[in-house]
Amino acid sequence: MHELSLARSIMDIIEEYDLRHHFKKVNSLKLSFGKLSSVEPSALEFAFEVLSKGTKAEGASLEFEVLPVILYCTVCGENVSAEHYQATCPLCEGGEVCLAGGTEELKLLELDVD
Amino acid sequence: MKIDVVKNVLDANDRIAEENKALFEKSGTWVINLMSSPGAGKTTLVEKTIEALKDKYSIAVIEGDIEDTCDAERVARHGVPVVQINTGGACHIDGNMVREALPNFDLQGIDLLIVENVGNLVCPAEFRIGENIKAMILSTPEGADKPAKYPLMFQESAVMIINKTDLIPYVDFDMEQAKRSALGCNRDLVIFEVSCKTSEGLTGWFQWLEDQIESYKKQDP
Ligand SMILES: Nc1nc2c(ncn2[C@@H]2O[C@H](COP(=O)(O)OP(=O)(O)O)[C@@H](O)[C@H]2O)c(=O)[nH]1
Ligand SMILES: [Mg+2]
Ligand SMILES: [Zn+2]
Ligand SMILES: [Zn+2]
């Protein structure tokens, strides 16, 4: 939905690093986000493609590390990775879980440049 | 060559939000970012809250809800300053939109600023605006499965207001399930069950709000 503004922020970060490192081109970007955050990789790729046209980042590929949903169950004490968030423990069916992972916001981890 | 970055992509927005927050702290303005699906009752709750607290506090509203163009007019009728943000069809309010709205107010004289976000359970939770707290409304016709579908919203919010309790006899809403599921996202979530139609439960919300504003004022240098 708002991938254009995310892509714009990514371009700003690239420019900031270019001022420091003076690279020729960006080959790839490594990004991470939680599975439950609102990032839509294909929409972000498209927005990035549009905004990077004619810049050093044109043609760069985006690699995504998607962080899993982790439920911590206060009944059995286990951390369970799950497909979705649910309030019932998939292991012991205990009814008191804490969402312990999967909502991490979008981060730019690494730039691969020449 | 690989360059380590490790930066939040929304870092630039966070910085603007911090600047907004510094302004609010200077003027002693307590700010609430109000979020929900379209139609859950944000504007209605804003109106009720103004009526309950306006004799005690000076209140202002930033209106970012695009669903209904008359939201700003509805709020203005209660005699408080209101600024309609032109979100330009955006799906959320960001720090910069709030920053641009601020010159319209005399912040010094404002105790409570309520920002009505765009009706959307997804991304408004990801964009900080310089608020003290995020509050979200879940209305009973939406169903108890919303925390499971949009956990981030419930994790980020300090308060969940379950609205339209007057409709419980007519809609399938599992109150216990909704609360349990929301608390799993955020153990510290403060929950109010209210009806903005009958006003049932609203005094608890008003009192909580008042307590927040008072303790914020006490911190004020
Ligand atoms: N039955 C009932 N209707 C409500 C309640 N609160 C709000 N509404 C109605 O729900 C509709 C949407 O409310 P509004 O405040 O505009 O929602 P917003 O889109 O979140 O700002 C309006 O017709 C309100 O009158 C409530 O507690 N009970
Ligand atoms: Mg509204
Ligand atoms: Zn368990
Ligand atoms: Zn958005």
mmCIF file of all heavy atoms in Angstrom, chain A residues 1-2 6 9 16 36-38 85 87-88 95-99 103 105-113, chain B residues 1-3 5-10 91-92 122-123 126-128 147-148 151-152 155 180-181 184-185 187:
data_model
loop_
_atom_site.group_PDB
_atom_site.id
_atom_site.type_symbol
_atom_site.label_atom_id
_atom_site.label_comp_id
_atom_site.label_asym_id
_atom_site.label_seq_id
_atom_site.Cartn_x
_atom_site.Cartn_y
_atom_site.Cartn_z
ATOM 1 N N MET A 1 0.831 -1.215 0.000
ATOM 2 C CA MET A 1 0.000 0.000 0.000
ATOM 3 C C MET A 1 0.858 1.254 0.000
ATOM 4 O O MET A 1 0.613 2.179 -0.737
ATOM 5 C CB MET A 1 -0.899 0.003 1.227
ATOM 6 C CG MET A 1 -2.139 -0.834 1.038
ATOM 7 S SD MET A 1 -3.357 -0.505 2.314
ATOM 8 C CE MET A 1 -2.787 -1.551 3.628
ATOM 9 N N HIS A 2 1.876 1.250 0.881
ATOM 10 C CA HIS A 2 2.714 2.446 0.970
ATOM 11 C C HIS A 2 4.145 2.110 0.566
ATOM 12 O O HIS A 2 5.077 2.689 1.063
ATOM 13 C CB HIS A 2 2.666 3.002 2.384
ATOM 14 C CG HIS A 2 3.000 1.960 3.381
ATOM 15 N ND1 HIS A 2 2.052 1.267 4.064
ATOM 16 C CD2 HIS A 2 4.183 1.446 3.764
ATOM 17 C CE1 HIS A 2 2.635 0.381 4.837
ATOM 18 N NE2 HIS A 2 3.924 0.460 4.669
ATOM 19 N N LEU A 6 8.226 3.520 1.249
ATOM 20 C CA LEU A 6 9.320 2.674 1.749
ATOM 21 C C LEU A 6 10.480 2.682 0.746
ATOM 22 O O LEU A 6 11.648 2.825 1.129
ATOM 23 C CB LEU A 6 8.843 1.238 1.973
ATOM 24 C CG LEU A 6 7.812 1.014 3.070
ATOM 25 C CD1 LEU A 6 7.397 -0.454 3.133
ATOM 26 C CD2 LEU A 6 8.351 1.463 4.426
ATOM 27 N N SER A 9 12.426 5.826 0.954
ATOM 28 C CA SER A 9 13.334 5.826 2.104
ATOM 29 C C SER A 9 14.573 4.982 1.827
ATOM 30 O O SER A 9 15.679 5.340 2.231
ATOM 31 C CB SER A 9 12.637 5.276 3.344
ATOM 32 O OG SER A 9 11.534 6.067 3.669
ATOM 33 N N GLU A 16 22.661 8.360 0.925
ATOM 34 C CA GLU A 16 23.457 8.722 2.087
ATOM 35 C C GLU A 16 24.761 7.909 2.133
ATOM 36 O O GLU A 16 25.839 8.462 2.392
ATOM 37 C CB GLU A 16 22.582 8.426 3.312
ATOM 38 C CG GLU A 16 23.089 8.881 4.644
ATOM 39 C CD GLU A 16 22.214 8.272 5.758
ATOM 40 O OE1 GLU A 16 20.970 8.240 5.611
ATOM 41 O OE2 GLU A 16 22.800 7.798 6.741
ATOM 42 N N LEU A 36 4.700 -10.787 9.922
ATOM 43 C CA LEU A 36 3.431 -10.143 10.261
ATOM 44 C C LEU A 36 3.451 -8.628 10.052
ATOM 45 O O LEU A 36 2.483 -7.951 10.352
ATOM 46 C CB LEU A 36 3.076 -10.435 11.722
ATOM 47 C CG LEU A 36 2.874 -11.906 12.083
ATOM 48 C CD1 LEU A 36 2.729 -12.056 13.588
ATOM 49 C CD2 LEU A 36 1.664 -12.474 11.366
ATOM 50 N N SER A 37 4.558 -8.093 9.567
ATOM 51 C CA SER A 37 4.556 -6.662 9.267
ATOM 52 C C SER A 37 3.873 -6.493 7.919
ATOM 53 O O SER A 37 3.563 -7.463 7.244
ATOM 54 C CB SER A 37 5.981 -6.105 9.251
ATOM 55 O OG SER A 37 6.650 -6.541 8.091
ATOM 56 N N SER A 38 3.633 -5.233 7.545
ATOM 57 C CA SER A 38 2.769 -5.050 6.373
ATOM 58 C C SER A 38 3.535 -4.965 5.062
ATOM 59 O O SER A 38 2.990 -4.521 4.062
ATOM 60 C CB SER A 38 1.920 -3.795 6.575
ATOM 61 O OG SER A 38 2.751 -2.654 6.509
ATOM 62 N N TYR A 85 -0.100 -15.725 13.664
ATOM 63 C CA TYR A 85 -0.270 -15.488 15.085
ATOM 64 C C TYR A 85 -1.559 -16.161 15.541
ATOM 65 O O TYR A 85 -2.592 -16.047 14.895
ATOM 66 C CB TYR A 85 -0.333 -13.987 15.394
ATOM 67 C CG TYR A 85 -0.862 -13.729 16.774
ATOM 68 C CD1 TYR A 85 -0.123 -14.121 17.888
ATOM 69 C CD2 TYR A 85 -2.108 -13.156 16.963
ATOM 70 C CE1 TYR A 85 -0.624 -13.930 19.162
ATOM 71 C CE2 TYR A 85 -2.606 -12.960 18.235
ATOM 72 C CZ TYR A 85 -1.856 -13.353 19.326
ATOM 73 O OH TYR A 85 -2.353 -13.185 20.586
ATOM 74 N N ALA A 87 -3.689 -17.243 19.461
ATOM 75 C CA ALA A 87 -3.629 -17.044 20.914
ATOM 76 C C ALA A 87 -3.568 -18.356 21.670
ATOM 77 O O ALA A 87 -3.547 -18.379 22.892
ATOM 78 C CB ALA A 87 -4.829 -16.223 21.362
ATOM 79 N N THR A 88 -3.564 -19.479 20.947
ATOM 80 C CA THR A 88 -3.507 -20.791 21.588
ATOM 81 C C THR A 88 -2.217 -21.483 21.176
ATOM 82 O O THR A 88 -1.858 -21.476 20.007
ATOM 83 C CB THR A 88 -4.725 -21.637 21.145
ATOM 84 O OG1 THR A 88 -5.915 -20.901 21.457
ATOM 85 C CG2 THR A 88 -4.764 -22.975 21.864
ATOM 86 N N GLY A 95 -3.717 -21.570 26.664
ATOM 87 C CA GLY A 95 -4.394 -20.366 26.193
ATOM 88 C C GLY A 95 -3.714 -19.064 26.545
ATOM 89 O O GLY A 95 -4.341 -18.012 26.506
ATOM 90 N N GLU A 96 -2.432 -19.126 26.908
ATOM 91 C CA GLU A 96 -1.755 -17.874 27.218
ATOM 92 C C GLU A 96 -0.408 -17.802 26.499
ATOM 93 O O GLU A 96 0.583 -18.340 26.967
ATOM 94 C CB GLU A 96 -1.563 -17.736 28.737
ATOM 95 C CG GLU A 96 -1.550 -16.287 29.169
ATOM 96 C CD GLU A 96 -1.325 -16.148 30.676
ATOM 97 O OE1 GLU A 96 -2.291 -16.387 31.427
ATOM 98 O OE2 GLU A 96 -0.202 -15.797 31.074
ATOM 99 N N VAL A 97 -0.435 -17.145 25.335
ATOM 100 C CA VAL A 97 0.806 -17.028 24.562
ATOM 101 C C VAL A 97 1.209 -15.557 24.472
ATOM 102 O O VAL A 97 0.394 -14.672 24.716
ATOM 103 C CB VAL A 97 0.649 -17.586 23.124
ATOM 104 C CG1 VAL A 97 0.208 -19.034 23.139
ATOM 105 C CG2 VAL A 97 -0.292 -16.721 22.311
ATOM 106 N N CYS A 98 2.484 -15.334 24.158
ATOM 107 C CA CYS A 98 2.957 -13.985 23.869
ATOM 108 C C CYS A 98 3.580 -14.002 22.490
ATOM 109 O O CYS A 98 4.375 -14.896 22.177
ATOM 110 C CB CYS A 98 4.030 -13.551 24.862
ATOM 111 S SG CYS A 98 3.466 -13.467 26.547
ATOM 112 N N LEU A 99 3.227 -13.030 21.703
ATOM 113 C CA LEU A 99 3.808 -12.913 20.371
ATOM 114 C C LEU A 99 5.247 -12.428 20.532
ATOM 115 O O LEU A 99 5.501 -11.320 20.986
ATOM 116 C CB LEU A 99 2.983 -11.916 19.556
ATOM 117 C CG LEU A 99 3.411 -11.690 18.113
ATOM 118 C CD1 LEU A 99 3.381 -12.987 17.322
ATOM 119 C CD2 LEU A 99 2.498 -10.658 17.465
ATOM 120 N N THR A 103 6.837 -9.436 13.986
ATOM 121 C CA THR A 103 6.321 -8.095 13.661
ATOM 122 C C THR A 103 7.466 -7.092 13.457
ATOM 123 O O THR A 103 7.229 -5.886 13.427
ATOM 124 C CB THR A 103 5.389 -7.566 14.773
ATOM 125 O OG1 THR A 103 6.087 -7.608 16.020
ATOM 126 C CG2 THR A 103 4.125 -8.389 14.879
ATOM 127 N N GLU A 105 10.008 -4.530 12.051
ATOM 128 C CA GLU A 105 9.822 -3.614 10.922
ATOM 129 C C GLU A 105 10.924 -3.770 9.887
ATOM 130 O O GLU A 105 11.953 -4.405 10.122
ATOM 131 C CB GLU A 105 9.697 -2.168 11.409
ATOM 132 C CG GLU A 105 10.943 -1.553 11.983
ATOM 133 C CD GLU A 105 10.704 -0.084 12.357
ATOM 134 O OE1 GLU A 105 10.827 0.797 11.482
ATOM 135 O OE2 GLU A 105 10.408 0.154 13.538
ATOM 136 N N LEU A 106 10.674 -3.206 8.717
ATOM 137 C CA LEU A 106 11.584 -3.356 7.581
ATOM 138 C C LEU A 106 12.930 -2.710 7.875
ATOM 139 O O LEU A 106 13.016 -1.545 8.255
ATOM 140 C CB LEU A 106 10.949 -2.700 6.345
ATOM 141 C CG LEU A 106 11.723 -2.822 5.037
ATOM 142 C CD1 LEU A 106 11.812 -4.279 4.565
ATOM 143 C CD2 LEU A 106 11.085 -1.958 3.961
ATOM 144 N N LYS A 107 13.971 -3.507 7.697
ATOM 145 C CA LYS A 107 15.340 -3.005 7.898
ATOM 146 C C LYS A 107 16.144 -3.210 6.629
ATOM 147 O O LYS A 107 15.979 -4.221 5.939
ATOM 148 C CB LYS A 107 16.038 -3.822 8.999
ATOM 149 C CG LYS A 107 15.790 -3.364 10.414
ATOM 150 C CD LYS A 107 16.845 -3.995 11.327
ATOM 151 C CE LYS A 107 16.840 -3.374 12.697
ATOM 152 N NZ LYS A 107 15.713 -3.825 13.516
ATOM 153 N N LEU A 108 17.032 -2.263 6.337
ATOM 154 C CA LEU A 108 18.025 -2.467 5.289
ATOM 155 C C LEU A 108 19.279 -2.972 5.988
ATOM 156 O O LEU A 108 19.854 -2.278 6.824
ATOM 157 C CB LEU A 108 18.290 -1.148 4.554
ATOM 158 C CG LEU A 108 19.344 -1.193 3.446
ATOM 159 C CD1 LEU A 108 19.042 -2.280 2.422
ATOM 160 C CD2 LEU A 108 19.444 0.163 2.748
ATOM 161 N N LEU A 109 19.657 -4.211 5.676
ATOM 162 C CA LEU A 109 20.775 -4.828 6.392
ATOM 163 C C LEU A 109 22.106 -4.557 5.722
ATOM 164 O O LEU A 109 23.101 -4.258 6.372
ATOM 165 C CB LEU A 109 20.577 -6.343 6.498
ATOM 166 C CG LEU A 109 19.341 -6.843 7.234
ATOM 167 C CD1 LEU A 109 19.275 -8.367 7.180
ATOM 168 C CD2 LEU A 109 19.340 -6.360 8.680
ATOM 169 N N GLU A 110 22.121 -4.681 4.402
ATOM 170 C CA GLU A 110 23.409 -4.699 3.710
ATOM 171 C C GLU A 110 23.246 -4.247 2.269
ATOM 172 O O GLU A 110 22.242 -4.529 1.632
ATOM 173 C CB GLU A 110 23.914 -6.150 3.740
ATOM 174 C CG GLU A 110 25.348 -6.355 3.360
ATOM 175 C CD GLU A 110 25.683 -7.847 3.414
ATOM 176 O OE1 GLU A 110 26.034 -8.323 4.515
ATOM 177 O OE2 GLU A 110 25.565 -8.511 2.379
ATOM 178 N N LEU A 111 24.257 -3.532 1.787
ATOM 179 C CA LEU A 111 24.316 -3.157 0.377
ATOM 180 C C LEU A 111 25.499 -3.879 -0.254
ATOM 181 O O LEU A 111 26.585 -3.878 0.316
ATOM 182 C CB LEU A 111 24.549 -1.649 0.222
ATOM 183 C CG LEU A 111 23.456 -0.699 0.699
ATOM 184 C CD1 LEU A 111 23.968 0.740 0.625
ATOM 185 C CD2 LEU A 111 22.214 -0.865 -0.155
ATOM 186 N N ASP A 112 25.270 -4.470 -1.407
ATOM 187 C CA ASP A 112 26.393 -5.014 -2.169
ATOM 188 C C ASP A 112 26.651 -4.064 -3.332
ATOM 189 O O ASP A 112 25.782 -3.859 -4.175
ATOM 190 C CB ASP A 112 26.047 -6.423 -2.669
ATOM 191 C CG ASP A 112 27.246 -7.083 -3.331
ATOM 192 O OD1 ASP A 112 27.785 -6.505 -4.307
ATOM 193 O OD2 ASP A 112 27.663 -8.146 -2.878
ATOM 194 N N VAL A 113 27.833 -3.453 -3.354
ATOM 195 C CA VAL A 113 28.119 -2.392 -4.338
ATOM 196 C C VAL A 113 29.444 -2.651 -5.042
ATOM 197 O O VAL A 113 30.275 -3.429 -4.583
ATOM 198 C CB VAL A 113 28.190 -1.011 -3.630
ATOM 199 C CG1 VAL A 113 26.888 -0.686 -2.940
ATOM 200 C CG2 VAL A 113 29.343 -0.953 -2.654
ATOM 201 N N MET B 1 31.822 -5.193 -3.206
ATOM 202 C CA MET B 1 32.053 -4.821 -1.808
ATOM 203 C C MET B 1 30.720 -4.807 -1.054
ATOM 204 O O MET B 1 29.716 -4.345 -1.577
ATOM 205 C CB MET B 1 32.672 -3.409 -1.763
ATOM 206 C CG MET B 1 32.950 -2.947 -0.352
ATOM 207 S SD MET B 1 33.720 -1.318 -0.280
ATOM 208 C CE MET B 1 32.447 -0.233 -0.890
ATOM 209 N N LYS B 2 30.739 -5.360 0.149
ATOM 210 C CA LYS B 2 29.510 -5.343 0.941
ATOM 211 C C LYS B 2 29.596 -4.261 2.018
ATOM 212 O O LYS B 2 30.616 -4.107 2.676
ATOM 213 C CB LYS B 2 29.302 -6.698 1.612
ATOM 214 C CG LYS B 2 29.019 -7.817 0.617
ATOM 215 C CD LYS B 2 28.228 -8.929 1.278
ATOM 216 C CE LYS B 2 28.188 -10.202 0.453
ATOM 217 N NZ LYS B 2 27.576 -10.050 -0.873
ATOM 218 N N ILE B 3 28.513 -3.495 2.142
ATOM 219 C CA ILE B 3 28.467 -2.459 3.179
ATOM 220 C C ILE B 3 27.382 -2.839 4.184
ATOM 221 O O ILE B 3 26.221 -3.044 3.809
ATOM 222 C CB ILE B 3 28.136 -1.072 2.579
ATOM 223 C CG1 ILE B 3 29.153 -0.697 1.497
ATOM 224 C CG2 ILE B 3 28.096 -0.016 3.683
ATOM 225 C CD1 ILE B 3 28.798 0.583 0.754
ATOM 226 N N VAL B 5 24.696 -2.042 6.753
ATOM 227 C CA VAL B 5 23.855 -0.857 6.994
ATOM 228 C C VAL B 5 23.074 -1.029 8.301
ATOM 229 O O VAL B 5 23.242 -0.273 9.252
ATOM 230 C CB VAL B 5 22.897 -0.596 5.818
ATOM 231 C CG1 VAL B 5 22.051 0.629 6.084
ATOM 232 C CG2 VAL B 5 23.688 -0.412 4.517
ATOM 233 N N VAL B 6 22.225 -2.040 8.342
ATOM 234 C CA VAL B 6 21.371 -2.350 9.492
ATOM 235 C C VAL B 6 20.645 -1.105 10.018
ATOM 236 O O VAL B 6 20.941 -0.566 11.084
ATOM 237 C CB VAL B 6 22.143 -3.035 10.649
ATOM 238 C CG1 VAL B 6 21.148 -3.640 11.645
ATOM 239 C CG2 VAL B 6 23.063 -4.125 10.132
ATOM 240 N N LYS B 7 19.731 -0.660 9.233
ATOM 241 C CA LYS B 7 19.014 0.562 9.558
ATOM 242 C C LYS B 7 17.528 0.332 9.302
ATOM 243 O O LYS B 7 17.154 -0.313 8.314
ATOM 244 C CB LYS B 7 19.532 1.648 8.606
ATOM 245 C CG LYS B 7 19.460 3.028 9.168
ATOM 246 C CD LYS B 7 20.166 4.000 8.250
ATOM 247 C CE LYS B 7 20.625 5.164 9.073
ATOM 248 N NZ LYS B 7 21.283 6.180 8.314
ATOM 249 N N ASN B 8 16.684 0.860 10.180
ATOM 250 C CA ASN B 8 15.251 0.797 9.889
ATOM 251 C C ASN B 8 14.960 1.651 8.667
ATOM 252 O O ASN B 8 15.422 2.790 8.585
ATOM 253 C CB ASN B 8 14.438 1.335 11.064
ATOM 254 C CG ASN B 8 14.452 0.389 12.244
ATOM 255 O OD1 ASN B 8 14.676 -0.812 12.081
ATOM 256 N ND2 ASN B 8 14.230 0.921 13.426
ATOM 257 N N VAL B 9 14.210 1.078 7.748
ATOM 258 C CA VAL B 9 13.883 1.845 6.543
ATOM 259 C C VAL B 9 13.060 3.081 6.916
ATOM 260 O O VAL B 9 13.154 4.122 6.275
ATOM 261 C CB VAL B 9 13.170 0.929 5.523
ATOM 262 C CG1 VAL B 9 12.547 1.721 4.401
ATOM 263 C CG2 VAL B 9 14.161 -0.090 4.964
ATOM 264 N N LEU B 10 12.289 2.969 7.985
ATOM 265 C CA LEU B 10 11.481 4.122 8.411
ATOM 266 C C LEU B 10 12.224 5.072 9.352
ATOM 267 O O LEU B 10 11.610 5.900 10.016
ATOM 268 C CB LEU B 10 10.197 3.622 9.082
ATOM 269 C CG LEU B 10 9.238 2.949 8.111
ATOM 270 C CD1 LEU B 10 8.012 2.437 8.849
ATOM 271 C CD2 LEU B 10 8.823 3.919 7.019
ATOM 272 N N CYS B 91 -2.449 5.560 2.962
ATOM 273 C CA CYS B 91 -3.103 4.561 3.789
ATOM 274 C C CYS B 91 -2.777 4.737 5.272
ATOM 275 O O CYS B 91 -3.196 3.948 6.107
ATOM 276 C CB CYS B 91 -2.704 3.171 3.321
ATOM 277 S SG CYS B 91 -0.965 3.033 2.852
ATOM 278 N N HIS B 92 -2.011 5.768 5.606
ATOM 279 C CA HIS B 92 -1.637 6.014 6.997
ATOM 280 C C HIS B 92 -1.207 7.472 7.135
ATOM 281 O O HIS B 92 -0.948 8.139 6.138
ATOM 282 C CB HIS B 92 -0.477 5.111 7.401
ATOM 283 C CG HIS B 92 0.746 5.371 6.573
ATOM 284 N ND1 HIS B 92 1.042 4.636 5.456
ATOM 285 C CD2 HIS B 92 1.706 6.317 6.669
ATOM 286 C CE1 HIS B 92 2.149 5.110 4.903
ATOM 287 N NE2 HIS B 92 2.565 6.139 5.620
ATOM 288 N N VAL B 122 -3.739 -1.967 9.219
ATOM 289 C CA VAL B 122 -2.437 -2.490 8.839
ATOM 290 C C VAL B 122 -1.306 -1.512 9.135
ATOM 291 O O VAL B 122 -0.699 -1.543 10.201
ATOM 292 C CB VAL B 122 -2.432 -2.927 7.355
ATOM 293 C CG1 VAL B 122 -1.131 -3.647 7.032
ATOM 294 C CG2 VAL B 122 -3.607 -3.843 7.075
ATOM 295 N N CYS B 123 -1.043 -0.589 8.230
ATOM 296 C CA CYS B 123 0.209 0.161 8.327
ATOM 297 C C CYS B 123 0.221 1.355 9.290
ATOM 298 O O CYS B 123 1.309 1.760 9.700
ATOM 299 C CB CYS B 123 0.683 0.577 6.956
ATOM 300 S SG CYS B 123 -0.531 1.486 6.041
ATOM 301 N N GLU B 126 2.714 1.190 11.954
ATOM 302 C CA GLU B 126 4.164 1.179 11.683
ATOM 303 C C GLU B 126 4.779 2.564 11.590
ATOM 304 O O GLU B 126 5.995 2.701 11.569
ATOM 305 C CB GLU B 126 4.443 0.421 10.382
ATOM 306 C CG GLU B 126 4.013 -1.023 10.476
ATOM 307 C CD GLU B 126 4.437 -1.863 9.294
ATOM 308 O OE1 GLU B 126 4.818 -1.307 8.254
ATOM 309 O OE2 GLU B 126 4.375 -3.091 9.422
ATOM 310 N N PHE B 127 3.935 3.572 11.518
ATOM 311 C CA PHE B 127 4.467 4.925 11.321
ATOM 312 C C PHE B 127 4.283 5.761 12.574
ATOM 313 O O PHE B 127 3.166 6.125 12.925
ATOM 314 C CB PHE B 127 3.772 5.601 10.129
ATOM 315 C CG PHE B 127 4.170 5.014 8.816
ATOM 316 C CD1 PHE B 127 3.587 3.835 8.364
ATOM 317 C CD2 PHE B 127 5.148 5.613 8.046
ATOM 318 C CE1 PHE B 127 3.972 3.265 7.156
ATOM 319 C CE2 PHE B 127 5.536 5.058 6.840
ATOM 320 C CZ PHE B 127 4.944 3.883 6.396
ATOM 321 N N ARG B 128 5.384 6.049 13.247
ATOM 322 C CA ARG B 128 5.319 6.892 14.431
ATOM 323 C C ARG B 128 5.086 8.339 14.019
ATOM 324 O O ARG B 128 5.546 8.778 12.962
ATOM 325 C CB ARG B 128 6.619 6.771 15.222
ATOM 326 C CG ARG B 128 6.695 5.491 16.026
ATOM 327 C CD ARG B 128 8.056 5.298 16.665
ATOM 328 N NE ARG B 128 8.941 4.597 15.760
ATOM 329 C CZ ARG B 128 9.007 3.262 15.652
ATOM 330 N NH1 ARG B 128 8.254 2.494 16.418
ATOM 331 N NH2 ARG B 128 9.828 2.693 14.794
ATOM 332 N N PRO B 147 -7.400 -9.403 16.118
ATOM 333 C CA PRO B 147 -6.026 -9.459 16.641
ATOM 334 C C PRO B 147 -5.195 -10.550 15.967
ATOM 335 O O PRO B 147 -4.000 -10.368 15.736
ATOM 336 C CB PRO B 147 -6.228 -9.753 18.132
ATOM 337 C CG PRO B 147 -7.611 -9.286 18.434
ATOM 338 C CD PRO B 147 -8.406 -9.524 17.186
ATOM 339 N N ALA B 148 -5.823 -11.672 15.636
ATOM 340 C CA ALA B 148 -5.089 -12.748 14.981
ATOM 341 C C ALA B 148 -4.675 -12.341 13.571
ATOM 342 O O ALA B 148 -3.631 -12.739 13.074
ATOM 343 C CB ALA B 148 -5.933 -14.014 14.936
ATOM 344 N N PRO B 151 -1.962 -8.576 14.109
ATOM 345 C CA PRO B 151 -1.358 -8.529 15.453
ATOM 346 C C PRO B 151 -0.510 -7.289 15.717
ATOM 347 O O PRO B 151 -0.447 -6.821 16.846
ATOM 348 C CB PRO B 151 -0.512 -9.805 15.510
ATOM 349 C CG PRO B 151 -0.365 -10.268 14.111
ATOM 350 C CD PRO B 151 -1.557 -9.796 13.365
ATOM 351 N N LEU B 152 0.116 -6.753 14.689
ATOM 352 C CA LEU B 152 1.010 -5.613 14.913
ATOM 353 C C LEU B 152 0.266 -4.430 15.531
ATOM 354 O O LEU B 152 0.752 -3.771 16.455
ATOM 355 C CB LEU B 152 1.664 -5.177 13.590
ATOM 356 C CG LEU B 152 2.618 -4.009 13.726
ATOM 357 C CD1 LEU B 152 3.884 -4.432 14.451
ATOM 358 C CD2 LEU B 152 2.963 -3.419 12.367
ATOM 359 N N GLN B 155 -0.194 -5.073 19.101
ATOM 360 C CA GLN B 155 1.086 -5.066 19.808
ATOM 361 C C GLN B 155 1.562 -3.633 20.049
ATOM 362 O O GLN B 155 2.097 -3.307 21.106
ATOM 363 C CB GLN B 155 2.136 -5.810 18.970
ATOM 364 C CG GLN B 155 3.446 -6.036 19.688
ATOM 365 C CD GLN B 155 4.391 -6.876 18.856
ATOM 366 O OE1 GLN B 155 4.688 -6.568 17.707
ATOM 367 N NE2 GLN B 155 4.859 -7.972 19.426
ATOM 368 N N ARG B 180 -8.286 -12.200 24.802
ATOM 369 C CA ARG B 180 -7.185 -13.140 24.981
ATOM 370 C C ARG B 180 -6.204 -13.011 23.818
ATOM 371 O O ARG B 180 -4.989 -12.962 23.997
ATOM 372 C CB ARG B 180 -7.741 -14.566 25.054
ATOM 373 C CG ARG B 180 -6.760 -15.618 25.518
ATOM 374 C CD ARG B 180 -7.491 -16.899 25.948
ATOM 375 N NE ARG B 180 -8.144 -17.566 24.826
ATOM 376 C CZ ARG B 180 -7.516 -18.420 24.019
ATOM 377 N NH1 ARG B 180 -6.251 -18.710 24.201
ATOM 378 N NH2 ARG B 180 -8.161 -18.999 23.027
ATOM 379 N N SER B 181 -6.777 -12.913 22.630
ATOM 380 C CA SER B 181 -5.963 -12.830 21.432
ATOM 381 C C SER B 181 -5.187 -11.498 21.384
ATOM 382 O O SER B 181 -4.012 -11.464 21.019
ATOM 383 C CB SER B 181 -6.894 -12.989 20.241
ATOM 384 O OG SER B 181 -6.221 -13.050 19.067
ATOM 385 N N GLY B 184 -2.353 -11.523 23.909
ATOM 386 C CA GLY B 184 -1.224 -12.325 23.448
ATOM 387 C C GLY B 184 -0.260 -11.499 22.606
ATOM 388 O O GLY B 184 0.924 -11.799 22.521
ATOM 389 N N CYS B 185 -0.774 -10.460 21.977
ATOM 390 C CA CYS B 185 0.087 -9.555 21.200
ATOM 391 C C CYS B 185 0.784 -8.569 22.118
ATOM 392 O O CYS B 185 1.841 -8.039 21.794
ATOM 393 C CB CYS B 185 -0.719 -8.750 20.184
ATOM 394 S SG CYS B 185 -1.714 -9.726 19.076
ATOM 395 N N ARG B 187 0.894 -7.964 26.402
ATOM 396 C CA ARG B 187 0.441 -8.261 27.762
ATOM 397 C C ARG B 187 0.032 -7.008 28.546
ATOM 398 O O ARG B 187 -0.680 -7.099 29.540
ATOM 399 C CB ARG B 187 1.552 -8.975 28.546
ATOM 400 C CG ARG B 187 1.746 -10.402 28.154
ATOM 401 C CD ARG B 187 0.738 -11.317 28.864
ATOM 402 N NE ARG B 187 0.480 -12.470 28.005
ATOM 403 C CZ ARG B 187 -0.696 -13.048 27.843
ATOM 404 N NH1 ARG B 187 -1.731 -12.629 28.500
ATOM 405 N NH2 ARG B 187 -0.847 -14.062 27.022
#
